[in-house]
Each structure stands twice: as C-alpha cells, then as structure tokens.
Amino acid sequence: MIRIVFFLTCLSLPGLAEAHSVSTRFGEVYSGLLHPITTLIHLVPWLALGILAGAQSPARARWTLGLFPLFVAMGGVAATLVSPIEAVTVINIGSLIVLGGLVILAIPLPAVVFWAAVLIFGISHGFANVDTNLDVWGLLRYLFGIAFAAYATVALMTGLSSRVMQQDPWGQTAVRAAGSWIVAIGVVFVGYNLLLP
C-alpha cells in the first residue's frame, strides 16, 4: 500500500513543461531549425505545401524551393518590426485546411492561386516562428535556421510527392488521402482553438 501511495504521489507532482524546450540549448541556428519542425501547426502545412508543389510543373516546384524559405524569412523579419498580430494564428491554422484541400485536388493549380498560397503562408508561418528577444546577429542566425527548415521540409516532400504521383499508379490516391488527413488535423486545431477562452 505504501508503494502505491508513493507512486501516485510522484505522478501528481509533475515537472515544469516549457514549449519547444528541446531547441533552447543548441544556439540560434538550431533553435530556428527545430522550432517549426517540432510544432504540428507549422510542420504539417509545410509538408502539405511540399506535396502540393510536387503536383505542379517541375519549374514551378523548383521556384518554390527558393521562394518559400525566402518568404518565411521575410515573415520573421516583419515580426521584429511590428507588434504581434492575432490574425497570424488564424491564418496558420487556416493554412492546414486550405493547403490540405488543395492537396486533395492533386492537380496543377493556376499560377496566381499557387503563388498566393506560397507567399501568404510563407510570411505568416515566418511571422509566427521568430524569436524577437535576440540581438541582430542572433536573429540572423535564427532566421537562417527557420529558412533552412522550410527549405528542407518542402524540398523533401516535393521530391517524394512528385515521384509518387508520376511513377506509381496509386500515387494520386495516396496524395489525396494525405490531403484529407491534413484537412482533418486542421479541423481539430480549429475546434481546439474555439474551446480556448
């Protein structure tokens, strides 16, 4: 009985939990790299954008690999210049549903639709990921980490989805199924945020 009481007492005394504490001890580059890829609200839309880029023409997909990290870095710079904007969280949650819905289509999109998604969601996710408490050089290193994470995530998913969609007969179905899961994750995030006070 004493062991059970001791065990239950230990369970009722949890330690302090801090968001993204995994990335705080490695320096600014690694903090910037790890922050977005350890958060579902950023990682999943970036994966969705990579999948969507794989469904576009090769030239458009290649441009995405350079422009998306640039837009993410621009969003990070913008976050240091203005006060926090509440709408950014709504846009980032909406990116799950919008990008997931576009992945479900799994078709080449009109250029204006695709580039608008890359621009808007790149800037909004960069805006939400920046650490404004750093000095100038620390901020530059942090932004490099975020931009590299954006590049690596989108590049890997673009290559994978392009290969699956073009070479495997089940590729379109697999991509559309992934899109449905991304939309479902977005709906869960919307519901969760509606429950918050």
Side-chain angles (χ1 to χ4, degrees), residues 126-137:
F127 195 96
N129 270 298
V130 79
D131 183 354
T132 56
N133 297 322
L134 297 171
D135 62 17
V136 173
W137 292 111

Side-chain angles (χ1 to χ4, degrees), residues 45-55 64 153-159 161-162:
W46 292 12
L47 295 173
L49 185 66
I51 295 169
L52 188 61
T64 305
T153 305
V154 172
L156 290 171
M157 287 311 296
T158 299
S161 68
S162 176

Side-chain angles (χ1 to χ4, degrees), residues 20-131:
H20 313 298
S21 63
V22 68
S23 64
T24 58
R25 60 184 176 267
F26 297 121
E28 290 88 359
V29 173
Y30 292 109
S31 293
L33 177 71
L34 292 172
H35 186 270
I37 62 173
T38 57
T39 310
L40 283 179
I41 197 169
H42 300 299
L43 178 62
V44 175
W46 292 12
L47 295 173
L49 185 66
I51 295 169
L52 188 61
Q56 309 307 304
S57 69
R60 193 178 292 178
R62 282 190 292 272
W63 275 99
T64 305
L65 301 183
L67 290 177
F68 183 67
L70 175 66
F71 295 150
V72 168
M74 287 171 54
V77 170
T80 64
L81 301 176
V82 298
S83 58
I85 301 171
E86 292 297 322
V88 169
T89 302
V90 174
I91 293 169
N92 288 341
I93 293 171
S95 71
L96 285 159
I97 295 171
V98 171
L99 292 172
L102 293 173
V103 168
I104 290 172
L105 295 175
I107 58 172
L109 299 171
V112 67
V113 173
F114 180 74
W115 292 122
V118 172
L119 173 68
I120 292 167
F121 298 136
I123 289 175
S124 70
H125 283 273
F127 195 96
N129 270 298
V130 79
D131 183 354

